[in-house]
Amino acid sequence: VARPPIAAPHARMTNAESKGRNKRWRVTAQETSFLEAVFMRTRKPSRATIDHLAKSLNVRPRQVQVWFQNRRQRWRKEFSTAPTSPDGAGTDGDNVQPESLDAIMRQFIDAPSRRDDGADAG
């Protein structure tokens, strides 16, 4: 009994493609630094903050929401036994204003890359 040939792996549709999803968001180092800075201010951003971040990063709000969910999980895993910082940094409530998000983002966009700083000294 002859069997039909199996399609090459690259010829098959992935699960994401078959469900009509977009390509995976590859977070750049600059975006990661920006999101980490926001995470240090609030571990659980409000809907408005998520929307503002998504618009600033040119991604869907759901992608930002998932990034924060994953980051909170990693934080719990790494620091579950560490005490909370006394200054209240990284609280679960959202106390970040859109203006401060813009200021944080400008730091990462306008600042030269860290690698360039060491290359000029000498």
Side-chain angles (χ1 to χ4, degrees):
V1 175
R3 294 184 180 172
I6 298 174
H10 58 75
R12 295 185 206 150
M13 288 181 69
T14 65
N15 194 25
E17 290 170 332
S18 66
K19 292 184 179 182
R21 296 182 193 157
N22 290 336
K23 290 178 81 172
R24 186 180 178 124
W25 175 32
R26 302 282 181 184
V27 185
T28 65
Q30 192 174 33
E31 291 169 338
T32 300
S33 297
F34 171 56
L35 290 167
E36 286 288 343
V38 175
F39 183 79
M40 291 300 132
R41 289 182 168 218
T42 178
R43 288 188 296 267
K44 211 164 192 181
S46 68
R47 188 78 203 141
T49 300
I50 289 173
D51 290 342
H52 188 82
L53 289 170
K55 191 172 187 177
S56 298
L57 296 171
N58 198 28
V59 296
R60 293 185 313 273
R62 177 69 181 146
Q63 291 171 293
V64 174
Q65 180 183 4
V66 168
W67 186 92
F68 272 89
Q69 287 173 348
N70 291 339
R71 183 62 183 90
R72 280 193 304 272
Q73 187 61 33
R74 194 169 76 231
W75 177 83
R76 282 186 203 108
K77 191 174 186 179
E78 293 171 355
F79 301 106
S80 61
T81 58
T84 307
S85 63
D87 63 356
T91 59
D92 285 336
D94 184 4
N95 57 1
V96 181
Q97 300 300 317
E99 301 82 35
S100 63
L101 292 174
D102 292 337
I104 293 169
M105 185 168 217
R106 278 193 298 277
Q107 290 175 351
F108 293 99
I109 292 174
D110 296 339
S113 70
R114 303 243 186 264
R115 282 177 263 156
D116 293 342
D117 292 343
D120 293 339

